[in-house]
Amino acid sequence: MQLNRFALMMILVIAPLSSWATEQAPPLTATLHAMGGIPINISAWDLDEETFEAATEKITSRLEFLEAMMSTYRPESEISQINNGEKLESYPEELLDVLRRALDVSTRTDGAFDITVKPLVKLWKSSTKAGHLPTETEITDAMESVGYGKVNVTDEGVLELSQPGVMLDLGGIAKGYFADEAVLILRKAGATKCLVDCGGDISAYNDLDGEHGAIPFRVGVKNPLDKESILAVLELGYGAVVTSGNYERYYEIGGTRYCHIFDPRTGQPVENMLSVTLVASNGLYADAFATAVFVMGPEAAREFVEERSWLEAVIISGDGQGDPEVFVSSGLADKIEFVGK
Ligand code: AMP
Ligand code: MG
């Protein structure tokens, strides 16, 4: 999928390879350009070159398969067919599984994460093209079709939408899942340590007892006000780090930038949040919760993360004019090093 449009922020970058210089052996690395050209950086330890090459080929075809199923930029994808109001003869179990987990995150975030935002995405896109803000009426109309409660996955494996016009957008969750799937392929190939950076969504595995296990990954968090500079470096043992931000992708109307992440409860683009870098056990959840926490706004976001021992985050908020506020959750305090301004 055209992931440069389909999803996401690329505000996470792998810290300079110098951190790997301390490893006994450097990893094998590859950059794929699947999914509409988004770079996918892969690093793996303990594989011979032939096995690594075979694994990267598998990753390429796996990502192509998932894109063909989940991209709204592919008219023939299952998601596009669903969004056209078509009833499918059968729904791929993998798609249903991602949808179930997306709905699970919606429930657990009180609707802050909501894959039914697609009508809002469409509206803001066409308004941007037309060069004017959407009207109240247009937003109210789009909101008629928004709400995760309008989506149901039955035990029999059927996707039910409660009314015509409901459309799905996996842009807030798919890249994290793709990164997880790539990691799985590397693990199956025998890697004891690996990291996949899917356009900024990072999933990593590290067998802590393995030869390289003691050395954590170092992941840079970009300064959302100056994306060329790194604000901090996070240590990651294993798991996932995903960032949702307001500046790589946005709608620009009348010289003002509007965030590409919407509050599904108001239909408005989120304000006063600059970036949320979220650490969780896997990419799919890190991706979805990063989007959700971004929607919550600074106060609620901090509370949400601190109340959950399995989530850690760096939350950078502000209107982009004055100094941003940087919040680091307590579990990350000894795993973060501020390196920039
Ligand atoms: P991310 O970069 O992972 O935060 O995902 C942002 C993308 O997810 C947007 O470009 C939309 O396609 C979609 N999106 C926007 N707002 C939401 C939301 N509240 N919940 C779920 N997906 C959203
Ligand atoms: Mg996300």
Side-chain angles (χ1 to χ4, degrees):
M1 59 207 88
Q2 308 246 347
L3 276 185
N4 37 355
R5 289 185 287 150
F6 174 63
L8 317 146
M9 314 305 349
M10 295 175 48
I11 55 185
L12 280 174
V13 294
I14 302 176
L17 295 184
S18 59
S19 61
W20 287 331
T22 50
E23 304 269 348
Q24 285 186 347
L28 290 173
T29 61
T31 300
L32 308 179
H33 290 277
M35 305 192 298
I38 275 259
I40 298 160
N41 293 310
I42 299 172
S43 310
W45 282 259
D46 296 333
L47 294 182
D48 62 57
E49 275 184 32
E50 208 176 305
T51 313
F52 181 67
E53 212 169 287
T56 56
E57 272 167 27
K58 265 194 195 147
I59 290 170
T60 305
S61 50
R62 179 91 179 102
L63 297 188
E64 164 57 29
F65 175 80
L66 292 173
E67 183 187 354
M69 185 191 291
M70 298 183 188
S71 171
T72 53
Y73 290 99
R74 298 268 185 108
E76 73 289 1
S77 72
E78 271 87 352
I79 277 288
S80 292
Q81 293 178 44
I82 290 164
N83 288 348
N84 285 337
E86 291 169 34
K87 275 224 154 23
L88 307 192
E89 258 169 44
S90 69
Y91 294 84
E93 192 48 47
E94 184 164 20
L95 178 61
L96 296 177
D97 196 43
V98 171
L99 294 175
R100 280 191 195 99
R101 289 195 269 170
L103 295 172
D104 174 43
V105 177
S106 297
T107 313
R108 289 156 72 180
T109 59
D110 203 16
F113 184 77
D114 193 328
I115 53 170
T116 65
V117 293
K118 181 73 180 163
L120 292 168
V121 174
K122 268 184 91 171
L123 173 61
W124 280 82
K125 244 184 217 168
S126 65
S127 298
T128 303
K129 244 191 198 161
H132 59 73
L133 284 174
T135 64
E136 282 297 315
T137 316
E138 284 174 324
I139 291 180
T140 312
D141 284 352
M143 286 295 283
E144 289 284 307
S145 307
V146 175
Y148 70 95
K150 296 179 169 71
V151 184
N152 181 38
V153 179
T154 70
D155 292 343
E156 290 73 40
V158 176
L159 174 72
E160 295 175 341
L161 303 177
S162 67
Q163 63 194 63
V166 176
M167 290 185 280
L168 310 179
D169 179 342
L170 296 177
I173 192 169
K175 271 211 318 183
Y177 178 61
F178 294 173
D180 287 342
E181 289 299 296
V183 164
L184 210 58
I185 289 170
L186 293 165
R187 285 184 62 182
K188 278 191 188 148
T192 60
K193 183 172 183 175
C194 57
L195 181 145
V196 176
D197 176 357
C198 229
D201 287 16
I202 291 173
S203 186
Y205 173 73
N206 189 2
D207 175 355
L208 297 179
D209 296 326
E211 190 186 344
H212 310 290
I215 300 172
F217 300 104
R218 287 163 59 77
V219 177
V221 180
K222 275 194 183 175
N223 179 348
L225 296 179
D226 172 13
K227 53 186 180 165
E228 301 311 320
S229 80
I230 289 180
L231 189 74
V233 177
L234 279 181
E235 273 189 4
L236 178 72
Y238 56 90
V241 184
V242 172
T243 296
S244 282
N246 79 334
Y247 59 89
E248 291 274 1
R249 299 184 55 237
Y250 46 80
Y251 304 101
E252 190 159 341
I253 305 175
T256 305
R257 289 179 178 186
Y258 298 90
C259 186
H260 71 126
I261 301 171
F262 296 98
D263 186 333
R265 295 155 299 191
T266 63
Q268 297 293 336
V270 175
E271 290 178 356
N272 290 321
M273 289 292 270
L274 298 171
S275 71
V276 170
T277 296
L278 203 105
V279 181
S281 60
N282 69 47
L284 176 138
Y285 280 109
D287 193 357
F289 277 105
T291 307
V293 167
F294 191 93
V295 169
M296 291 173 192
E299 289 289 313
R302 291 171 200 166
E303 243 171 67
F304 187 88
V305 171
E306 284 299 59
E307 280 169 4
R308 287 161 180 79
S309 59
W310 43 275
L311 286 182
E312 301 297 342
V314 180
I315 298 169
I316 307 178
S317 55
D319 59 8
Q321 307 302 320
D323 280 346
E325 266 191 68
V326 181
F327 169 84
V328 177
S329 65
S330 40
L332 280 187
D334 61 348
K335 296 189 173 62
I336 191 165
E337 184 191 342
F338 284 87
V339 293
K341 37 186 174 113

